[in-house]
Amino acid sequence: MFRRSFLITLIAISVVLGSAVDIYAAGVTIPASSTINVNTGTLIVPGDVAITGTLQTTSGTIKVSGSWTNSGTFTAGTGTVEFYNSATSSTISGTTSFYNLTCTAGTKTLNFDAEIPTNNYRTNITNLLNFSGSLGSLITLARSGGTGTDQWAINPAGNKGLTPGWTVAYVSVSNSVNLND
């Protein structure tokens, strides 16, 4: 398989990633007039994803090592967003509704925008949430921005341990509120 790392920056175009396609991109920036559809393929991003246009997953997977910034439209379909690479911290900014949201990279830090009255940022999961570290390799879930008692908000669907639902094990959590607890 040929691998080449590159930065995807779109300018008023649409791209559809089909089945059995793995695309490696150093970073992905989607401007307001563009769309990427990770149909059934996999988009692997060792850098950041910045959405001001439209990013959608029909049933594909987006693997992100860096940060996720959504000030555009993310349509989750039945796809998965996975944060990987414990050597880098990731910040999740803006309100996003994920279908499946996963992180199993022990010692990974995920920082979520604080939900303060002026922004109402929150992370919604409509099917499966899986944050699973391991003994001695906790995943850290923390607040980005805000002050004092400001919290980041997460809203997983379903019930803990069920599908759809959520599994959270071997994590260190601070300054958060679970809206479905």
Side-chain angles (χ1 to χ4, degrees):
M1 174 187 296
F2 176 73
R3 290 186 184 186
R4 181 178 170 138
S5 186
F6 57 96
L7 178 66
I8 296 176
T9 302
L10 301 178
I11 303 171
I13 63 170
S14 293
V15 176
V16 177
L17 304 180
S19 64
V21 173
D22 287 354
I23 299 289
Y24 294 82
V28 176
T29 300
I30 306 166
S33 56
S34 298
T35 300
I36 289 182
N37 180 358
V38 183
N39 189 14
T40 56
T42 300
L43 176 61
I44 302 166
V45 185
D48 300 331
V49 172
I51 307 163
T52 55
T54 301
L55 175 60
Q56 55 195 40
T57 57
T58 303
S59 61
T61 299
I62 302 170
K63 298 176 79 168
V64 182
S65 175
S67 293
W68 176 279
T69 303
N70 181 17
S71 58
T73 301
F74 175 67
T75 305
T78 59
T80 297
V81 174
E82 175 186 347
F83 284 89
Y84 74 99
N85 188 1
S86 60
T88 60
S89 294
S90 297
T91 298
I92 300 171
S93 300
T95 294
T96 301
S97 291
F98 297 98
Y99 184 73
N100 295 324
L101 178 61
T102 301
C103 179
T104 58
T107 71
K108 176 81 169 173
T109 296
L110 297 174
N111 296 300
F112 296 82
D113 267 352
E115 180 185 44
I116 54 178
T118 58
N119 67 23
N120 291 318
Y121 289 148
R122 63 184 55 189
T123 301
N124 302 296
I125 298 90
T126 60
N127 188 53
L128 178 65
L129 168 68
N130 180 11
F131 290 151
S132 297
S134 60
L135 187 63
S137 294
L138 303 181
I139 295 171
T140 300
L141 307 175
R143 174 187 74 197
S144 173
T147 60
T149 59
D150 291 337
Q151 297 178 309
W152 60 274
I154 192 161
N155 188 19
N159 298 303
K160 185 176 179 180
L162 301 177
T163 301
W166 41 285
T167 301
V168 177
Y170 295 103
V171 298
S172 172
V173 182
S174 62
N175 297 312
S176 70
V177 58
N178 180 345
L179 300 174
N180 186 23
D181 193 18

